[in-house]
Amino acid sequence: MSAPKYHLTSYGCQMNKLDSELVESKLRQRGYVAAAAEADADVVLINTCSVRQHAEDRVWSKLGKLRVRKRTEPQLVVGVLGCMAQEHKRYLLSRMPHVDLVVGPSAFGDIDDTVEQARSKNGQIAAEREPARTKHEVAGAGVLSVDLGVSGDRIVRDVRVRPHRSQAFVSVMRGCNMPCTYCIVPTTRGDEVSRPIADLVEETQRLCDDGVTEITLLGQTVNAYGRDLTGQDATLAKLLRALHAIPSLRRLAFITSHPNFLNQELIDALAELPKVARYLHLPAQSGSNAVLKAMRRGYTTERYLLRIDQLRAKAPDIELHSDFIVGYPGETAADFEATVAFVKQVGFAQSYVFKYSPRPGTLAAELPDDVPEPEKERRNAVLLAVQEELTLAKNQALVGQTVEVLVEGDSKVAGRFSGRTAHHRLVHFAASDRELIGQYVPVRVTEALAHSCLGELLAHDAAQEGRNDPAEASA
Ligand code: 5AD
Ligand code: SF4
């Protein structure tokens, strides 16, 4: 009998993508193989995101299509994983009989057993299927649900399962304890749980032994890492220093930071550790103190600016990335203008801009969603345009300079590769030698675009590849 095939689609954040890698590794260890296409799969899994309505809508529509498919393929296993599984568990279990598994985030430790059980149940159902019974009742007979837990952290990671040869994510903590009024993450992912430094060093070492040279540490509030590990003196700065000592590691990034936990210890680590990536994702969310207060972000714009002044005094080459929400309940035109001014004042290198989307169960969802959709659209477009101009100016400043690029793979344009600098700038350049993928190469920037740079590959000495100097011409 041929190996069972799975197909896994991921929505949402990097954390979800890493969770999906862990699920894949469990299934592969169990003898499953990845299906070439979803239509060929015996098991279809969807790792979901609840942060905005749009992400949820895509999943509901996909589940609608799978319902149709399951009418003719009752043995097909359909699983909903991640934040929507947690958030909509009751609805999925009671109203979506074609869904066999509902598994919340962090409960992937025995996902292979759960999938196996569902497969054998559905196999029996398909074999015994009586024409008189409705498809709905039959398919609904075997719903399995797994509760939120922390078993995900205990999975021994198969470091070979990863999308990139030289890049990998490492989850340092789960959950979030912050009170942001608009955000569903604390509900879906639960309280902060940090992993001990020793475990993280061990996992990173194994990844580096397997050829990884760039690690990105993941946490919803990654710079609050360790505050739940009482008595262990674990902080992000200490973790960065411990990982920095791994000789074959060349770049070490971390996302996402909260402004309230950007302290001097972390600033010193950023200034002193050359392998640490030269960007900081530090979402401000708004540039209006009234909105920040309503969001319960716990800082003012003045405090944010003070922190980044301290950062820039010690590590002037670090670039700042942010997230912004436009159209939060009660956000006036003047509040929005304050955000525009703030973005310009800080000079972010990159920002993600989101239209406020009420999430049922959050505090903000109790408030009237009173910024009309066309106005949200307008604010979204204005802020994006302001950010694009800033990004373009930063990219233009790089023209003529040589940057070190970690080659990630093919660019969308044929005959070009793309990669990123230590500042996380995307650079495209003409090349065809696939051996370059995963290497650090010098590229001279020739043209600046709004979201990336074009450049030309310079001759380089392959023997230099091992050197641990991620220095780059600063923008
Ligand atoms: N509506 C819009 N954007 C949101 N985000 C989080 N919750 C919401 C919401 N309800 C954004 C924040 C966060 C990013 C991951 O998603 O900007 O930083
Ligand atoms: Fe959500 Fe705020 Fe936690 Fe970020 S810090 S995950 S926005 S609650």
Side-chain angles (χ1 to χ4, degrees), residues 28-40:
R28 288 195 201 179
Q29 280 166 1
R30 195 67 178 244
Y32 283 71
V33 294
E38 189 183 296
D40 301 334

Side-chain angles (χ1 to χ4, degrees), residues 51-52 182-183 283 285 323-325 354-359:
V51 167
R52 282 170 293 278
Y182 51 81
C183 187
Q285 309 295 0
D323 295 349
F324 289 95
I325 296 176
F354 305 106
K355 287 181 290 175
Y356 170 69
S357 159
R359 310 312 299 134

Side-chain angles (χ1 to χ4, degrees), residues 10-12 46-62 84 88 184 353-360 373 376-377:
S10 260
Y11 294 93
I46 312 170
N47 197 3
T48 60
C49 171
S50 287
V51 167
R52 282 170 293 278
Q53 188 61 42
H54 178 63
E56 290 204 346
D57 290 344
R58 288 163 70 192
V59 172
W60 293 126
S61 126
K62 195 167 181 57
M84 280 176 75
H88 299 289
I184 195 71
V353 182
F354 305 106
K355 287 181 290 175
Y356 170 69
S357 159
R359 310 312 299 134
E373 187 59 26
K376 279 187 192 167
E377 284 284 355

Side-chain angles (χ1 to χ4, degrees), residues 91-340:
Y91 183 84
L92 285 161
L93 291 179
S94 62
R95 308 289 291 278
M96 298 225 136
H98 63 298
V99 173
D100 301 290
L101 322 171
V102 181
V103 185
S106 320
F108 299 140
D110 45 12
I111 185 86
D112 50 334
D113 291 334
T114 319
V115 168
E116 279 286 285
Q117 284 172 39
R119 243 174 35 94
S120 80
K121 210 168 257 174
N122 283 10
Q124 276 173 19
I125 289 167
E128 293 165 6
R129 192 160 147 182
E130 295 166 28
R133 292 166 77 186
T134 69
K135 286 153 193 158
H136 238 60
E137 283 162 355
V138 172
V143 173
L144 295 164
S145 144
V146 180
D147 264 315
L148 185 80
V150 290
S151 55
D153 288 336
R154 277 184 245 118
I155 299 176
V156 176
R157 180 168 182 185
D158 179 352
V159 295
R160 292 164 307 176
V161 181
R162 57 172 198 269
H164 296 284
R165 190 160 70 184
S166 47
Q167 298 169 293
F169 292 108
V170 171
S171 160
V172 305
M173 64 194 293
R174 297 190 161 267
C176 180
N177 288 6
M178 301 308 284
C180 310
T181 51
Y182 51 81
C183 187
I184 195 71
V185 168
T187 315
T188 57
R189 292 198 171 252
D191 282 344
E192 286 170 18
V193 181
S194 302
R195 298 173 62 195
I197 290 191
D199 287 12
L200 296 167
V201 170
E202 189 269 342
E203 185 174 312
T204 307
Q205 181 71 61
R206 282 194 298 121
L207 285 161
C208 292
D209 290 346
D210 198 55
V212 170
T213 58
E214 183 190 76
I215 293 282
T216 304
L217 306 177
L218 298 180
Q220 303 291 347
T221 49
V222 69
N223 56 338
Y225 165 77
R227 63 178 179 154
D228 56 308
L229 297 174
T230 36
Q232 296 187 30
D233 197 23
T235 60
L236 180 63
K238 292 197 174 69
L239 176 63
L240 291 174
R241 288 182 193 276
L243 298 178
H244 200 267
I246 297 175
S248 57
L249 181 71
R250 287 188 59 164
R251 273 190 198 165
L252 181 55
F254 55 93
I255 49 177
T256 294
S257 294
H258 190 289
N260 284 2
F261 304 102
L262 175 59
N263 58 18
Q264 199 58 48
E265 189 201 18
L266 181 56
I267 291 174
D268 290 344
L270 288 175
E272 288 164 27
L273 303 176
K275 296 182 192 176
V276 173
R278 308 323 283 166
Y279 69 94
L280 186 64
H281 187 208
L282 194 71
Q285 309 295 0
S286 172
S288 149
N289 282 340
V291 174
L292 288 172
K293 191 163 179 209
M295 288 176 165
R296 302 204 183 158
R297 286 288 290 174
Y299 54 85
T300 56
T301 52
E302 291 77 15
R303 199 148 134 225
Y304 187 103
L305 291 169
L306 185 71
R307 295 264 161 116
I308 63 168
D309 280 350
Q310 289 164 343
L311 170 70
R312 285 172 167 167
K314 276 251 168 170
D317 59 332
I318 297 272
E319 292 190 335
L320 288 161
H321 296 181
S322 185
D323 295 349
F324 289 95
I325 296 176
V326 295
Y328 184 79
E331 184 189 66
T332 63
D335 290 323
F336 174 67
E337 286 313 317
T339 298
V340 170

